């Protein structure tokens, strides 16, 4: 058996400032995969 105290990494939606493209990733991609624009987290998990 394993303890499941820690929440596993969840994918969060990141939205591109430039083109509005949304990607689901575990970590901030930094750049938009489509246009290399700046990404922002659309919803930050509360822990
Ligand atoms: Zn983009």
């Amino acid at each position: 058996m394993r303890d499941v105290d820690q929440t596993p990494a969840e994918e969060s939606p990141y939205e591109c400032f430039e083109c509005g493209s949304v990607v689901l990733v575990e970590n901030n991609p930094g750049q938009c995969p489509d246009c290399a624009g700046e990404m922002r987290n659309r919803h930050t998990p509360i822990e």
Side-chain angles (χ1 to χ4, degrees):
M1 283 182 63
R2 284 195 287 172
D3 284 354
V4 198
D5 282 337
Q6 291 186 332
T7 305
E10 284 188 31
E11 291 185 337
S12 300
Y14 280 83
E15 182 175 14
C16 174
F17 277 116
E18 301 297 329
C19 70
S21 176
V22 177
V23 293
L24 282 174
V25 291
E26 291 180 6
N27 300 302
N28 191 333
Q31 288 186 325
C32 174
D34 290 333
C35 72
E38 186 177 349
M39 307 293 289
R40 62 168 172 164
N41 196 337
R42 293 186 72 194
H43 91 101
T44 304
I46 304 169
E47 296 239 23

